[in-house]
Amino acid sequence: GIVPILKVDKGLTPEKDGVQLMKPIPDLDSLLKRGKEKGIFGTKMRSVIKLANNDGIKANVNQQFEIGRRIVAAGLSPILEPEVDIKSPEKEEAEVMLKAHLLEHLNQLLPNEKVMLKLTLPSVDNLYKEVIDHPNVLRVVALSGGYTREEANAILCRQDGMVASFSRALTEGLKDQMTVEEFDAQLDESIGSIFFASKAGK
């Protein structure tokens, strides 16, 4: 089935130390309360990593987990999304740093504090396997991040336990000039290819 997810972030701050943090979310607690009352399952919030700057990546992950724990306490399931920019000249190094900080925070969570993670497809296959297998992780999903659908599917096929949460790759090829039949056929093809890529890595 389909579960409702609430986007809670207010956008990004200017880049500092190679990252863009989330802007303050002053109404978070009331937003979460309303979301819980309306039957919302979980939340989504995105920040960005552009360079392999350890201080910046640490601050990025700290912010994601600090807010994520508040979301868990409100009875919702957070999707933490520290996106690594696929155009970063230091993407591989940044991902290694990100993994280390993710594991540090995951190891500090209480048994009942479960999170989901939405991560950029890694440069090194199965880099995030230890994160995927962590007992406090419900699911790790992949963002396409600007890769073409063909590229994203090919990388995803090689990641054990990671499934797709593509948006840009999903809508690739869809045009408003299409007929309803053409649109549906293209979307069906896209969904099918992404589904099989998600299954391939299990």
Side-chain angles (χ1 to χ4, degrees), residues 2-197:
I2 297 174
V3 295
I5 301 294
L6 177 65
K7 181 179 184 293
V8 297
D9 71 77
K10 304 293 186 182
L12 301 171
T13 62
E15 182 179 341
K16 180 184 177 183
D17 294 332
V19 304
Q20 288 182 274
L21 300 179
M22 294 179 287
K23 292 179 180 178
I25 315 172
D27 60 344
L28 179 64
D29 292 335
S30 62
L31 182 64
L32 297 176
K33 183 175 183 293
R34 294 202 315 273
K36 182 68 174 176
E37 290 169 352
K38 297 292 185 182
I40 295 294
F41 172 77
T43 64
K44 174 186 178 295
M45 51 187 180
R46 172 179 173 266
S47 50
V48 177
I49 297 167
K50 293 181 175 290
L51 296 172
N53 182 305
N54 191 63
D55 289 340
I57 294 173
K58 180 179 180 179
N60 192 305
V61 177
N62 284 352
Q63 184 188 48
Q64 286 278 347
F65 274 86
E66 178 187 353
I67 298 173
R69 294 184 88 164
R70 289 171 63 188
I71 293 167
V72 171
L76 301 175
S77 297
I79 300 175
L80 313 183
E81 185 180 355
E83 175 181 349
V84 178
D85 189 337
I86 67 167
K87 295 184 174 66
S88 170
E90 302 171 345
K91 180 176 181 287
E92 185 173 333
E93 298 89 338
E95 289 171 340
V96 171
M97 293 179 182
L98 173 61
K99 176 188 173 182
H101 287 294
L102 290 174
L103 287 171
E104 179 182 352
H105 277 274
L106 288 170
N107 288 334
Q108 295 172 7
L109 295 179
L110 299 174
N112 66 318
E113 292 181 314
K114 310 285 188 181
V115 300
M116 295 176 280
L117 293 160
K118 183 171 181 176
L119 304 174
T120 304
L121 289 161
S123 296
V124 175
D125 288 347
N126 290 312
L127 175 70
Y128 296 120
K129 190 68 171 68
E130 193 174 354
V131 174
I132 291 167
D133 291 339
H134 197 281
N136 289 88
V137 173
L138 294 172
R139 175 72 76 178
V140 175
V141 299
L143 60 93
S144 53
Y147 288 117
T148 67
R149 184 167 61 253
E150 184 177 359
E151 290 171 330
N153 284 342
I155 300 170
L156 182 60
C157 281
R158 304 194 299 267
Q159 313 307 316
D160 293 339
M162 203 175 199
V163 298
S165 178
F166 296 167
S167 51
R168 281 164 279 189
L170 173 65
T171 58
E172 179 186 313
L174 297 177
K175 301 179 177 64
D176 58 4
Q177 299 94 339
M178 287 177 162
T179 65
V180 172
E181 292 76 16
E182 290 170 336
F183 187 95
D184 287 349
Q186 178 63 64
L187 185 59
D188 186 60
E189 179 185 339
S190 299
I191 292 171
S193 69
I194 294 168
F195 172 78
F196 285 113

